[in-house]
Amino acid sequence: MDARDVSELHDSMRRYGIPGGLEPVNPECPAGSWRVVDDAGRDITDETLAAVAAAARRRPARGFVTA
């Protein structure tokens, strides 16, 4: 994931309530690759991307009940 994708992923994480922090892989090159880390600093990028994709596929259960 590169710097162009970070804003969109951050918005999705907030929208779906997915925890994690975004940081550049190389702090000296913020235009390069980024990753998602948990509170302990572990890389959870793959898990987060999967969670965002699954949340985006879910449709809200809306409708009317008629009797």
Side-chain angles (χ1 to χ4, degrees):
M1 167 177 58
D2 62 21
R4 293 175 301 173
D5 303 321
V6 171
S7 178
E8 184 178 340
L9 179 60
H10 183 255
D11 291 343
S12 295
M13 289 169 63
R14 288 185 358 173
R15 182 179 318 120
Y16 300 124
I18 298 170
L22 293 156
E23 65 180 28
V25 172
N26 179 358
E28 295 176 8
C29 183
S33 295
W34 285 63
R35 65 183 176 177
V36 183
V37 295
D38 63 8
D39 290 337
R42 293 178 299 224
D43 186 345
I44 57 168
T45 303
D46 293 336
E47 295 88 347
T48 302
L49 292 174
V52 167
R57 283 192 303 269
R58 277 187 252 133
R59 299 281 182 212
R62 295 182 184 167
F64 296 94
V65 176
T66 60

